[in-house]
Amino acid sequence: MNVPLLDLKTQYRTIRDRSLEVTQQVFESQYFFLDPQVEDLETKIAGYCRTGHAVGVSSGTDALVLSLMAAGIGPGDRVISTPYTFFATVGAIARVGATPVFVDIDPDTYNLSPDKLEAAMATLPNAALETVKAIIPVHLYGQCADMDPLLEVAADHGWVVIEDAAQAIGAEYKERRAGSMGDYGSFSFFPSKNLGAFGDGGIVTAGDPQVYERLKILRVRGSKPKYHHQVMGGNFRLDSLQAAIVAGKLDYLDGWTTARQDNAARYRELFASAGLTDRVHLPVEKENRHIYNQFIIFVDDGRDDLRVYLGEQGIGTEEYYPVPMHLQDCFSELGYQIGDFPVAEQAANQTLALPIYPELTESQQAYVVENSARFSAGRIIPWSRN
């Protein structure tokens, strides 16, 4: 049996007619940027995320860069974030000339730990702490970070809060949607996301009308009116074709989310029935709406061998992410070393993503767990996360 990590072809068959209809409308209009299609998506996403405004942009990476630019973050500033995330989070900080400051993660959710934030702040010299201007919590794998304590610390210090919600559209924290809690919410429409385009795309959410206006100006190279530039912006426009696709898919998103949650629940039943729950740590749901962009297991020993074995059986898996940001070569000048963020490093070495897409069948899930059990039967995997 073949079980891919993600099966977009199967999803496309369910939305083919709708997708062809909306793309045909774009082709007929011959408007490709900042037209009613983009405005329609912005309105729909703002409503879905329960925030005041949304600005469509060219990618999830550019959503982060634009948010930082709009917040006035630049050289000489520091931005706190997690070392356990996709490169775009930290790369965006570096691209605007700011310096990343890392804080280790919670071992259950893999999100930035508020407790470790307090400890990290205590080690920063006062002069360095005064240069911290923002914090970027990442809602990793589709579960929101523990936002209330992070928002409280940010408010106490006057920091801008940029939610990296690239994997978490629709996720909730205490009945608040991802992207509605900070000053900015950054989303990606990369095709592998739970709400993906047919190419690159992203969006920034904001509640403040003045922030919204600034985002719109910076999106078009800082131009307002046209050809007049008071500030330096970038070319961050979302094209109409991608906006139309995403707007069409948005109508299906809650149904897909329910299917992902059902698949997560079924995995729990199957792993328990197979007697593997003392050897494989399954995702912990700390918040009330985990949307399962990924389903991450923690394997105490033999993660790499398990991945190879599952691949030989036709099962797609992925390591999200094998090298934490503080150990990436391009950030070596920051001076971090192995051991500085042990929880992030452990997650990088011992977690594995299993297929969780909405169209995944019960038989495919059973096949994944059966093969995990076969691997385990030939290997003693003691349960310990210490």
Side-chain angles (χ1 to χ4, degrees), residues 223-241:
S223 173
K224 186 180 181 181
K226 192 175 182 180
Y227 304 130
H228 294 261
H229 300 261
Q230 301 296 320
V231 294
M232 182 75 70
N235 181 9
F236 301 132
R237 299 170 302 188
L238 175 65
D239 74 74
S240 303
L241 183 63

Side-chain angles (χ1 to χ4, degrees), residues 105-117:
I105 59 174
D106 178 278
D108 292 327
T109 66
Y110 310 110
N111 287 323
L112 191 152
S113 167
D115 292 338
K116 293 182 173 66
L117 172 60

Side-chain angles (χ1 to χ4, degrees), residues 141-143 167 194 257 260-262 264-265 268 283-285 289-296 356-357:
Y141 305 141
Q143 178 161 225
Q167 300 178 4
N194 60 320
T257 294
R260 287 175 179 271
Q261 292 167 336
D262 289 345
R268 296 181 195 283
V284 175
E285 291 188 14
R289 196 171 194 250
H290 192 326
I291 56 90
Y292 286 102
N293 195 71
Q294 282 90 24
F295 187 89
I296 303 297
I356 191 67
Y357 52 91

Side-chain angles (χ1 to χ4, degrees), residues 82-293:
T82 164
Y84 192 59
T85 182
F86 180 59
F87 179 81
T89 311
V90 185
I93 298 170
R95 278 181 59 187
V96 299
T99 300
V101 176
F102 295 120
V103 172
D104 211 350
I105 59 174
D106 178 278
D108 292 327
T109 66
Y110 310 110
N111 287 323
L112 191 152
S113 167
D115 292 338
K116 293 182 173 66
L117 172 60
E118 296 283 0
M121 290 171 59
T123 65
L124 279 178
N126 288 336
L129 187 59
E130 289 175 358
T131 66
V132 174
K133 302 299 182 185
I135 182 169
I136 305 180
V138 179
H139 304 319
L140 201 62
Y141 305 141
Q143 178 161 225
C144 287
D146 188 1
M147 289 297 293
D148 278 349
L150 299 179
L151 291 167
E152 183 178 351
V153 172
D156 288 344
H157 291 82
W159 299 343
V160 172
V161 178
I162 301 171
E163 297 175 64
D164 185 339
Q167 300 178 4
I169 190 166
E172 293 181 9
Y173 173 84
K174 299 181 180 179
E175 301 183 354
R176 289 169 284 172
R177 284 276 165 97
S180 70
M181 293 172 278
D183 299 284
Y184 303 83
S186 170
F187 294 87
S188 170
F189 298 137
F190 189 76
S192 64
K193 298 297 188 291
N194 60 320
L195 180 64
F198 285 3
D200 257 326
I203 207 161
V204 180
T205 54
D208 188 319
Q210 292 183 333
V211 169
Y212 169 61
E213 291 300 324
R214 183 168 176 80
L215 287 166
K216 289 196 297 180
I217 293 170
L218 291 171
R219 173 176 61 178
V220 289
R221 304 180 183 87
S223 173
K224 186 180 181 181
K226 192 175 182 180
Y227 304 130
H228 294 261
H229 300 261
Q230 301 296 320
V231 294
M232 182 75 70
N235 181 9
F236 301 132
R237 299 170 302 188
L238 175 65
D239 74 74
S240 303
L241 183 63
Q242 302 305 336
I245 291 292
V246 174
K249 293 177 75 172
L250 183 61
D251 291 339
Y252 299 85
L253 181 57
D254 283 340
W256 291 339
T257 294
T258 298
R260 287 175 179 271
Q261 292 167 336
D262 289 345
N263 288 343
R266 187 174 298 113
Y267 267 137
R268 296 181 195 283
E269 295 172 357
L270 291 168
F271 273 104
S273 297
L276 294 176
T277 53
D278 61 339
R279 302 178 181 185
V280 175
H281 183 76
L282 303 181
V284 175
E285 291 188 14
K286 284 197 171 181
E287 306 310 331
N288 59 323
R289 196 171 194 250
H290 192 326
I291 56 90
Y292 286 102
N293 195 71

Side-chain angles (χ1 to χ4, degrees), residues 84 110 141 279-280 296-311 317-324 344-354 372 375 379-382:
Y84 192 59
Y110 310 110
Y141 305 141
R279 302 178 181 185
V280 175
I296 303 297
I297 62 172
F298 182 101
V299 183
D300 188 71
D301 180 58
R303 188 276 308 270
D304 294 342
D305 291 339
L306 173 61
R307 187 181 185 201
V308 170
Y309 179 79
L310 292 178
T317 61
E318 187 57 90
E319 300 170 28
Y320 296 117
Y321 297 93
V323 182
E345 292 168 27
Q346 187 180 44
N349 292 327
Q350 297 176 245
T351 59
L352 190 67
L354 301 181
S372 299
F375 173 83
R379 182 189 188 100
I380 297 175
I381 305 179

Side-chain angles (χ1 to χ4, degrees), residues 30-82:
Q30 287 297 292
Y31 289 105
F32 299 109
F33 296 100
L34 304 183
D35 72 338
Q37 296 280 9
V38 175
E39 294 173 0
D40 177 60
L41 176 65
E42 292 171 340
T43 299
K44 289 179 176 177
I45 293 294
Y48 187 80
C49 294
R50 302 171 188 168
T51 188
H53 309 280
V55 176
V57 295
S58 40
S59 70
T61 300
D62 289 338
L64 288 164
V65 172
L66 179 60
S67 298
L68 288 161
M69 291 175 64
I73 307 298
D77 297 331
R78 286 178 167 83
V79 178
I80 291 174
S81 195
T82 164

